[in-house]
Amino acid sequence: QSSVTLSGIVDVNVQRFDSGSVGKATMVGNGGLSTSRLVFRGTEDLGGGLYAGFWLEGSINPDTGEGRNSNLNNQPSGAVAGTAGTVGFKFDRQSYVSLGTKSLGELRMGHDFIPTHWNSIYFDPFNANGVARAGNLTFAGVTTAPLPSAITASNSVSYWLPANLGGVYGLVMVAAGENSSNAANAHDGNLAGFRLGYAAGPFDVAVAMTRTRNTASATIGDYTHANVGGTYNAGFAKFFALYNTVKVKLSTGDLRKDTMEVGAHIPVGPAGRIRLSYAVLDDRSAAALTNANGSARSSNDVRQWGIGYVHDLSKRTALYGTYASMSNRGQAAYALSGGRAPLPGEKTTGLEVGIRHSF
Amino acid sequence: QSSVTLSGIVDVNVQRFDSGSVGKATMVGNGGLSTSRLVFRGTEDLGGGLYAGFWLEGSINPDTGEGRNSNLNNQPSGAVAGTAGTVGFKFDRQSYVSLGTKSLGELRMGHDFIPTHWNSIYFDPFNANGVARAGNLTFAGVTTAPLPSAITASNSVSYWLPANLGGVYGLVMVAAGENSSNAANAHDGNLAGFRLGYAAGPFDVAVAMTRTRNTASATIGDYTHANVGGTYNAGFAKFFALYNTVKVKLSTGDLRKDTMEVGAHIPVGPAGRIRLSYAVLDDRSAAALTNANGSARSSNDVRQWGIGYVHDLSKRTALYGTYASMSNRGQAAYALSGGRAPLPGEKTTGLEVGIRHSF
Amino acid sequence: QSSVTLSGIVDVNVQRFDSGSVGKATMVGNGGLSTSRLVFRGTEDLGGGLYAGFWLEGSINPDTGEGRNSNLNNQPSGAVAGTAGTVGFKFDRQSYVSLGTKSLGELRMGHDFIPTHWNSIYFDPFNANGVARAGNLTFAGVTTAPLPSAITASNSVSYWLPANLGGVYGLVMVAAGENSSNAANAHDGNLAGFRLGYAAGPFDVAVAMTRTRNTASATIGDYTHANVGGTYNAGFAKFFALYNTVKVKLSTGDLRKDTMEVGAHIPVGPAGRIRLSYAVLDDRSAAALTNANGSARSSNDVRQWGIGYVHDLSKRTALYGTYASMSNRGQAAYALSGGRAPLPGEKTTGLEVGIRHSF
């Protein structure tokens, strides 16, 4: 059947984490290079330059067979932790219908990545995956748990610029929390964002911002994730830079975390590349926000660095290894992706070696 | 691989509801024209006119990426509301194996639509989908929540008449609640039904009835959904009529709701059609059944009308818009599909504009 | 798309169980001949004899449309019973990435069957499916509920011998519970196992053992499932023999259950075969383990026999019928697959007639 394309990725690895006083752990994880996924997609030529399309993509955890949850309404109430072993496959990454033309751009409606997330993928040398991803620092909210719409938004409508703008690209998105206009939290989960970029020759740069409404409390509030980043391909290496600001307007004061990451991909022979990154999280929260021990939250800074190697066995299959080291300062207790959070102020490291196969 | 066909529908829309005192809401919904779904199916020619086949079809909510639940045993105990964000994809619509011949008909075993539901789809101008569907009124039980086997039945065996009967078509179905013979509710969830129709030239008419056993209480009991309907294609318009009776034998008295719907599809140019419907729910429950305020339940009547337009961009892709208005009388508090229920006796309206893409 | 193959099985049947004092039940079940499933798989030739591959396989319950749960960590905490109607499809059977060569063997990482399970499939005349499977007796732990890693293991790495060893075949597997090294249950869920077999001409024999760590309590502990079995194809019949030992080191004493099964497939004409089996469970638990009524657990023995007939309508489609009878002795209360457990010491029987269709 020509109207649907079935594809996906299975990426599994063996991991070793050291989470300080919390202990070490050997694990079999997934998605160290790319998120494991199953994708059903297609496009239809409607004539006159018009096309329609659909995209249904869900993540999978091949180490356990489970799926992942999806936030329904971009609010804390929109997702609960599934009970162990019960989480089914669903289209938690992207599920939308689209309509577009090559010259006018594309309209999408459904569940999709927030505009800011594309920068998190493309301008992180670890592409938002694995132990060394910048997302260890940037997806978190008040705790180290991700904000409700940290990565995707439900109930979204987005417009994508066409590809013929001389290197300029971008999108705007709005999404609905779907609360009743009479409710106290009428605007919660409403979201708006954009991404605007420019790619030419060796350069690719973009800026993005996504703002989600939520009634202020001690754990949530209106929050904004803004980032700007880019890559420069110098041939002997491709350089990455990404700056993120996450701000949450809590009832107790503004939470703000700025994360700067720089890194590179260095080709090694025809099929290999070294990946490097260094990231610094600077907590710039209001003085009113304090840790459990009374210290200022703004002292909860982090240094993270990562090094990895990817070896392509083919266009579809790669072997990889990544090492990441994260130093929590103050009362920070961030965790590496897949690992356990250490105690506040402790260091944690992680190593993973795996296979990524695309189909 | 020729033995499996993969197909589906992604239908997403933008909605605006007014639920009276409960408030207004802007939403991104799905299935305004056709239920979003993913389908795996196939048939095998076994020779001598015999064939085997399978059908695995699950609904999807592309606005959030989630799946939908399925009732396991045609009883209230067979399904609970899933916690937000955790509901996985499953084959909640149809999942069966079949064996048949062109001259003798087909046997199906598995999870499938109840006989009555086919009339609800084909003889409703809105095809049992979207804000203006007749199902807003006919799927509900004692509350506005659907009865356990309002749409599908688990553990079913059905026999379908062959297609060579000169326009006569139909099926019979039995399904098991699977309770123990020693249990007080031994027969709960057992279901039996049929559908018999005749299609010739511009006419298509059918009658169906499905009866499900459940031990009588104040909220459930043996219930019957019967309906009769038809379409007549006059060329300048296709007319629809559908009459439904839902009766639930509660321990406190018989609940009965009769719903009459008439409507039409009016072609507009080569690719468009206007859809119209008007539905009246007449609650004819026993006098013993009263509302919370003491009034007779039989005064909980409803008037609903809908108007819509569908524009085919191709055989696979359509744009559509639908408006529905529902007037609850007495203490009725029915809701439009996807919208919030208003307060008892209040009016609610809904508008949705969307894209349906088939693949 | 040539890189992915989509296949599966839909197997549905009508069942009649007699569970003694617990009562009788008529059901529509599934998987009487083969587990209903959906499979996405593929391999890629990487050149030089090397290949990569993936396998994503999830079970389905076509009688209800639901999926099945998966244990995340090979421990009791790794899976809870899903609430009715909510269990989504997931890749609970096999989900792994692989890398191998024809001469050196294959490495797999992900979620997969434990080594012991392959003997449970191939050396049981009922292939670990349906009312008469030996698994009725061998998958159970302290209660009749299956042990956490009775069939599959999460977080596994396995190595498979190549196919060119003159009939010798086998695999070794390790899997991680992923607990923290500082935790009291640091080793829980860690698993190791192997299977080694030899097939030549009419003979096929194999031995396997899988050991899973769990901190000892009254309901769980380190447990081992070991089995040895084989088949001999004499032409007029194929004979089966399978011996299983399940041992759980409870804090209250060692639980041990030995199960011996013998059986045969007898061809009947070109498309039919009779299936026969007789199984005996000998509980050899420590004297310290007693039943609720004070009797020795070691008296909880079982006799089970099964007879069935399979008729192939084609290579892909078969009709089948199976009858099983299980006599629980002492305080044993094992159940036939799909049926309800009888009261301790009671007999239970089951009959199922169904269709299996592969695609």
Side-chain angles (χ1 to χ4, degrees):
Chain A
Q1 182 139 348
S2 63
S3 62
V4 53
T5 299
L6 179 54
S7 64
I9 293 173
V10 180
D11 177 336
V12 189
N13 54 44
V14 175
Q15 302 171 318
R16 179 67 178 171
F17 289 101
D18 183 339
S19 299
S21 309
V22 168
K24 300 179 175 66
T26 301
M27 300 187 178
V28 174
N30 69 78
L33 194 52
S34 304
T35 303
S36 298
R37 70 193 73 173
L38 191 58
V39 188
F40 304 80
R41 66 180 199 276
T43 56
E44 179 193 12
D45 184 348
L46 295 167
L50 192 65
Y51 65 87
F54 75 100
W55 195 289
L56 294 171
E57 176 173 340
S59 54
I60 50 184
N61 293 323
D63 46 337
T64 63
E66 278 208 320
R68 294 185 194 169
N69 287 334
S70 183
N71 189 297
L72 300 182
N73 62 12
N74 316 317
Q75 304 167 48
S77 65
V80 298
T83 40
T86 70
V87 180
F89 175 82
K90 59 186 72 70
F91 298 106
D92 60 309
R93 284 173 61 85
Q94 298 182 280
S95 65
Y96 61 77
V97 64
S98 60
L99 196 66
T101 79
K102 286 199 173 174
S103 59
L104 293 177
E106 181 173 307
L107 180 76
R108 294 183 184 176
M109 299 198 296
H111 182 87
D112 208 344
F113 293 117
I114 62 169
T116 319
H117 192 62
W118 300 103
N119 282 349
S120 296
I121 295 173
Y122 293 128
F123 302 141
D124 171 3
F126 290 94
N127 302 116
N129 272 289
V131 291
R133 67 177 190 177
N136 296 336
L137 307 173
T138 61
F139 299 152
V142 178
T143 65
T144 54
L147 288 160
S149 59
I151 294 177
T152 60
S154 282
N155 317 312
S156 76
V157 177
S158 58
Y159 165 72
W160 289 67
L161 290 176
N164 62 355
L165 299 182
V168 173
Y169 61 85
L171 76 147
V172 291
M173 174 185 276
V174 292
E178 302 192 341
N179 290 348
S180 179
S181 61
N182 283 6
N185 65 349
H187 301 290
D188 284 18
N190 289 345
L191 172 155
F194 77 93
R195 182 175 184 237
L196 187 65
Y198 177 70
F203 285 101
D204 185 1
V205 293
V207 59
M209 188 170 90
T210 310
R211 179 167 178 265
T212 307
R213 305 285 301 273
N214 269 285
T215 302
S217 73
T219 56
I220 194 74
D222 291 346
Y223 58 87
T224 303
H225 184 180
N227 55 19
V228 55
T231 56
Y232 171 71
N233 195 337
F236 70 94
K238 182 179 179 184
F239 296 99
F240 294 70
L242 177 61
Y243 195 88
N244 288 273
T245 297
V246 174
K247 192 186 290 190
V248 189
K249 291 179 169 292
L250 303 176
S251 59
T252 46
D254 282 7
L255 174 82
R256 178 171 170 183
K257 301 186 287 186
D258 290 5
T259 304
M260 175 71 199
E261 184 192 40
V262 292
H265 285 185
I266 305 170
V268 179
R273 61 186 180 281
I274 291 170
R275 304 196 293 173
L276 300 169
S277 79
Y278 181 70
V280 176
L281 180 150
D282 179 18
D283 195 303
R284 303 176 62 176
S285 298
L289 298 183
T290 53
N291 297 306
N293 69 356
S295 64
R297 168 147 196 151
S298 61
S299 64
N300 298 0
D301 298 336
V302 186
R303 301 285 180 278
Q304 173 183 291
W305 61 267
I307 181 168
Y309 177 70
V310 179
H311 188 83
D312 292 322
L313 296 177
S314 73
K315 286 196 172 183
R316 291 173 46 199
T317 304
L319 304 179
Y320 65 89
T322 308
Y323 179 82
S325 174
M326 178 194 277
S327 299
N328 284 294
R329 305 194 173 178
Q331 292 288 293
Y334 292 83
L336 300 175
S337 179
R340 292 186 172 82
L343 293 185
E346 288 192 348
K347 182 180 168 179
T348 176
T349 64
L351 172 70
E352 63 192 1
V353 177
I355 305 171
R356 179 198 63 190
H357 177 68
S358 305
F359 57 93
Chain B
Q1 181 140 348
S2 62
S3 62
V4 54
T5 298
L6 180 53
S7 64
I9 294 174
V10 181
D11 177 335
V12 189
N13 55 43
V14 175
Q15 302 171 317
R16 178 66 178 174
F17 289 102
D18 183 338
S19 298
S21 308
V22 167
K24 299 179 175 69
T26 300
M27 300 187 177
V28 174
N30 70 78
L33 193 52
S34 305
T35 303
S36 298
R37 70 192 73 172
L38 192 59
V39 188
F40 304 79
R41 67 180 197 274
T43 56
E44 179 194 12
D45 184 348
L46 294 168
L50 192 66
Y51 64 88
F54 74 100
W55 195 288
L56 295 170
E57 175 173 340
S59 54
I60 50 183
N61 294 322
D63 46 337
T64 64
E66 279 208 318
R68 295 184 194 169
N69 287 335
S70 183
N71 189 298
L72 300 182
N73 61 11
N74 317 317
Q75 303 166 49
S77 64
V80 298
T83 39
T86 71
V87 180
F89 175 81
K90 60 186 71 69
F91 299 107
D92 60 309
R93 284 172 61 85
Q94 297 181 278
S95 66
Y96 61 78
V97 64
S98 59
L99 195 66
T101 79
K102 286 200 172 173
S103 58
L104 292 178
E106 181 173 306
L107 180 76
R108 296 183 183 174
M109 299 197 297
H111 180 89
D112 207 345
F113 293 117
I114 60 169
T116 319
H117 193 61
W118 299 104
N119 283 348
S120 296
I121 295 173
Y122 293 128
F123 301 141
D124 171 2
F126 289 94
N127 302 117
N129 273 289
V131 291
R133 66 176 189 177
N136 296 336
L137 308 173
T138 61
F139 300 152
V142 178
T143 65
T144 55
L147 288 161
S149 60
I151 294 176
T152 60
S154 282
N155 317 312
S156 76
V157 177
S158 58
Y159 165 72
W160 289 68
L161 290 176
N164 61 355
L165 300 181
V168 173
Y169 60 86
L171 77 146
V172 292
M173 173 185 277
V174 292
E178 301 191 344
N179 289 350
S180 179
S181 61
N182 285 5
N185 64 349
H187 302 289
D188 284 18
N190 289 346
L191 172 154
F194 78 94
R195 182 177 184 234
L196 187 65
Y198 178 69
F203 285 100
D204 186 0
V205 294
V207 59
M209 188 169 89
T210 310
R211 179 165 177 265
T212 308
R213 305 285 301 274
N214 269 286
T215 302
S217 73
T219 56
I220 193 75
D222 291 347
Y223 58 86
T224 304
H225 185 180
N227 56 19
V228 54
T231 55
Y232 172 72
N233 195 335
F236 70 94
K238 183 180 180 183
F239 296 98
F240 292 72
L242 177 61
Y243 194 88
N244 288 273
T245 297
V246 175
K247 192 187 290 190
V248 188
K249 291 179 169 292
L250 303 176
S251 59
T252 47
D254 282 7
L255 175 81
R256 178 170 170 184
K257 302 186 287 186
D258 290 5
T259 304
M260 174 72 199
E261 185 192 38
V262 291
H265 285 185
I266 305 171
V268 179
R273 61 185 180 282
I274 292 171
R275 304 196 295 173
L276 300 170
S277 80
Y278 180 69
V280 175
L281 182 149
D282 178 19
D283 195 305
R284 302 177 62 176
S285 298
L289 298 183
T290 53
N291 296 306
N293 69 356
S295 64
R297 169 149 194 150
S298 61
S299 65
N300 296 0
D301 299 335
V302 186
R303 301 286 179 277
Q304 174 183 290
W305 59 268
I307 181 168
Y309 177 70
V310 179
H311 188 84
D312 293 323
L313 296 176
S314 73
K315 285 195 173 184
R316 290 173 48 200
T317 304
L319 305 178
Y320 65 89
T322 308
Y323 178 82
S325 173
M326 178 194 277
S327 298
N328 284 294
R329 305 192 174 179
Q331 292 288 294
Y334 292 84
L336 300 174
S337 179
R340 292 184 173 84
L343 294 185
E346 287 192 349
K347 182 179 168 180
T348 175
T349 64
L351 173 70
E352 62 192 2
V353 176
I355 304 170
R356 179 198 63 189
H357 177 68
S358 305
F359 57 94
Chain C
Q1 182 139 348
S2 62
S3 61
V4 54
T5 298
L6 179 54
S7 64
I9 293 175
V10 181
D11 176 336
V12 189
N13 54 43
V14 175
Q15 303 170 317
R16 178 67 178 173
F17 289 102
D18 182 339
S19 299
S21 309
V22 167
K24 300 179 173 68
T26 300
M27 300 188 177
V28 174
N30 69 77
L33 194 52
S34 304
T35 303
S36 298
R37 70 192 72 171
L38 192 60
V39 188
F40 305 80
R41 66 181 197 274
T43 57
E44 180 193 11
D45 183 348
L46 295 167
L50 193 65
Y51 65 86
F54 76 99
W55 196 288
L56 295 170
E57 175 174 341
S59 55
I60 50 182
N61 293 321
D63 46 336
T64 64
E66 278 206 320
R68 295 185 195 169
N69 286 336
S70 184
N71 189 297
L72 300 181
N73 62 11
N74 318 318
Q75 303 166 48
S77 64
V80 297
T83 40
T86 70
V87 179
F89 175 83
K90 60 186 71 68
F91 299 107
D92 60 309
R93 283 172 62 84
Q94 296 181 281
S95 65
Y96 61 77
V97 64
S98 61
L99 196 64
T101 79
K102 287 199 173 174
S103 58
L104 294 176
E106 182 173 306
L107 182 75
R108 295 183 184 175
M109 298 198 296
H111 180 88
D112 208 344
F113 294 117
I114 61 170
T116 319
H117 193 61
W118 299 104
N119 283 349
S120 296
I121 296 173
Y122 293 129
F123 302 140
D124 172 3
F126 290 95
N127 301 118
N129 273 289
V131 291
R133 66 176 191 180
N136 296 336
L137 307 173
T138 61
F139 300 152
V142 179
T143 64
T144 55
L147 289 161
S149 61
I151 295 176
T152 61
S154 281
N155 318 311
S156 77
V157 178
S158 58
Y159 164 72
W160 288 67
L161 291 176
N164 62 354
L165 300 180
V168 173
Y169 60 87
L171 76 147
V172 292
M173 174 185 276
V174 292
E178 302 192 342
N179 290 349
S180 179
S181 61
N182 284 6
N185 64 349
H187 302 290
D188 284 18
N190 289 347
L191 172 154
F194 77 94
R195 181 176 185 236
L196 186 65
Y198 177 68
F203 285 100
D204 185 1
V205 294
V207 59
M209 189 171 88
T210 309
R211 181 167 177 263
T212 307
R213 304 285 301 274
N214 269 287
T215 302
S217 73
T219 56
I220 194 74
D222 291 347
Y223 58 87
T224 304
H225 185 179
N227 56 19
V228 54
T231 55
Y232 172 70
N233 195 338
F236 70 95
K238 183 179 180 184
F239 296 98
F240 293 72
L242 177 61
Y243 194 88
N244 288 274
T245 297
V246 174
K247 193 188 290 190
V248 188
K249 291 178 169 292
L250 302 177
S251 59
T252 47
D254 283 7
L255 175 81
R256 178 171 170 184
K257 301 186 287 186
D258 290 6
T259 304
M260 175 71 198
E261 184 192 41
V262 293
H265 284 185
I266 305 170
V268 180
R273 62 185 179 281
I274 291 171
R275 304 197 294 173
L276 300 170
S277 79
Y278 180 70
V280 175
L281 183 149
D282 178 19
D283 195 304
R284 302 176 63 177
S285 298
L289 299 184
T290 53
N291 296 307
N293 69 356
S295 64
R297 168 150 195 149
S298 62
S299 65
N300 298 359
D301 299 336
V302 186
R303 300 286 180 277
Q304 174 183 290
W305 59 269
I307 182 168
Y309 177 69
V310 179
H311 188 83
D312 292 323
L313 297 176
S314 74
K315 286 196 172 184
R316 290 172 47 200
T317 304
L319 305 179
Y320 65 91
T322 309
Y323 179 81
S325 174
M326 177 193 278
S327 298
N328 285 294
R329 303 190 176 182
Q331 292 288 294
Y334 292 83
L336 300 175
S337 179
R340 292 185 172 84
L343 293 186
E346 287 192 347
K347 182 178 169 181
T348 175
T349 64
L351 172 70
E352 63 192 1
V353 177
I355 305 171
R356 180 198 64 190
H357 177 69
S358 305
F359 57 92

